[in-house]
Amino acid sequence: EEFYSVQSTGKSFAYTLAMKEHTKAHNPKHEGPEGKAYVHQFVGQEPSGRAFNDFALTRPDANGIEHPFNPVTNAGAIVTCSMIDEHNPLPVKPGDARSERMESRLSKYKGFLSELCGGEELDDCMDVFESERSEAFNNYALANFMRARGTFPPSVRCHDQLRESVDFYLRVCATRVNTRLLASAAATYATFGTCPLSGRAVMAATEA
C-alpha cells in the first residue's frame, strides 16, 4: 500500500490515451487517421538502441520530418503527452504547471488511469514534480530540438505550448500510485482492455 510516483511507467498509459482520444469512437469530430495510425504519424515504433533521454530521432520521413523512435523514450513520451486533450479550450498559462488548463488536461489522464485501476481515485506527488522540473533542462531542450524539426502535431505551435507539453509530461510521471494500482492496470492490458475489477471496457483491444 506504499505510494510513489509512477515515473516512466506512465509513458505507456499516456501512449494508450493518445491513441484512444484520436478515434471516432471517443471523439466523433475526429478526422483522418485513427488510433495508433494517428499517433505514429509523429512517433515511431522501433527501439532506438540509445539512452532513454538521448537526443536521437529517426531519419527524416518522406515529408522531411524526424520522429522519436518510440513512445517510451523521453522524446516520444513528450510528443504523445502533447496529444492528450490537445484542443482544451482553456488558455495556456506560460510556466504555470498548476493552471486550470493543466489540471483540466490532467483530469483526463488521471480519469483514464483510474478506469484502468478499477475506479480508484488518483493523486499527485507534487514534491517529485517540482524537484524534477527544477532539473528538467534536458527535457526542455529535447522538446525544442524536436519542434525545430517539425516533430510535434499541429496543436503545438509556440514556446508556451511547447513548455506546457514538457510540464504535462512531468506531471504524468509524478502521478501517485502503488503496486496494487499498477497490478490492476496491468491486468486491464492483459485482458485486452477490459478491467477485471469493474468489468468495463476501458480501451479497444488495438489500444491495449
Side-chain angles (χ1 to χ4, degrees), residues 20 111 114-116 118-119 188 191-203:
K20 179 178 178 176
S114 174
E115 286 188 303
L116 290 177
T188 302
T191 54
F192 300 100
T194 299
C195 177
L197 297 180
S198 66
R200 293 187 59 188
V202 180
M203 55 189 161

Side-chain angles (χ1 to χ4, degrees), residues 173-188:
C173 292
T175 305
R176 188 171 176 261
V177 296
N178 60 23
T179 304
R180 177 174 49 79
L181 291 171
L182 291 181
S184 300
T188 302

Side-chain angles (χ1 to χ4, degrees), residues 19-185:
M19 288 191 287
K20 179 178 178 176
E21 286 196 348
H22 293 89
T23 60
K24 288 189 181 299
H26 182 82
N27 176 14
K29 294 183 179 179
H30 177 75
E31 297 181 358
E34 293 191 54
K36 70 177 183 179
Y38 177 85
V39 172
H40 290 299
Q41 292 180 110
F42 307 100
V43 182
Q45 47 191 325
E46 299 293 338
S48 69
R50 310 285 285 271
F52 70 95
N53 60 350
D54 202 3
F55 281 67
L57 302 174
T58 64
R59 291 182 179 180
D61 63 16
N63 297 313
I65 306 299
E66 300 172 44
H67 306 281
F69 280 90
N70 59 68
V72 294
T73 61
N74 282 16
I78 290 169
V79 174
T80 55
C81 281
S82 77
M83 301 177 191
I84 295 172
D85 195 26
E86 60 193 326
H87 300 301
N88 189 299
L90 293 167
V92 177
K93 296 291 184 68
D96 185 355
R98 304 191 196 204
S99 69
E100 187 179 358
R101 174 183 162 93
M102 180 69 78
E103 297 300 337
S104 175
R105 292 184 65 202
L106 275 163
S107 71
K108 300 285 183 14
Y109 170 76
K110 288 191 286 189
F112 172 66
L113 185 50
S114 174
E115 286 188 303
L116 290 177
C117 301
E120 294 205 36
E121 189 172 340
L122 296 161
D123 206 344
D124 306 285
C125 295
M126 291 305 293
D127 57 333
V128 174
F129 165 74
E130 294 293 354
S131 175
E132 293 192 342
R133 186 168 71 156
S134 70
E135 299 292 334
F137 306 113
N138 194 81
N139 284 325
Y140 288 119
L142 184 54
N144 280 279
F145 175 75
M146 291 191 290
R147 181 65 185 85
R149 286 155 179 77
T151 301
F152 282 90
S155 57
V156 180
R157 299 183 300 274
C158 65
H159 286 289
D160 291 346
Q161 292 165 330
L162 195 66
R163 179 167 185 176
E164 183 189 56
S165 297
V166 177
D167 288 345
F168 185 86
Y169 160 70
L170 295 173
R171 288 287 305 269
V172 162
C173 292
T175 305
R176 188 171 176 261
V177 296
N178 60 23
T179 304
R180 177 174 49 79
L181 291 171
L182 291 181
S184 300

Side-chain angles (χ1 to χ4, degrees), residues 5-20:
S5 58
V6 71
Q7 291 299 309
S8 285
T9 306
K11 296 174 180 177
S12 299
F13 307 139
Y15 171 44
T16 304
L17 182 55
M19 288 191 287
K20 179 178 178 176

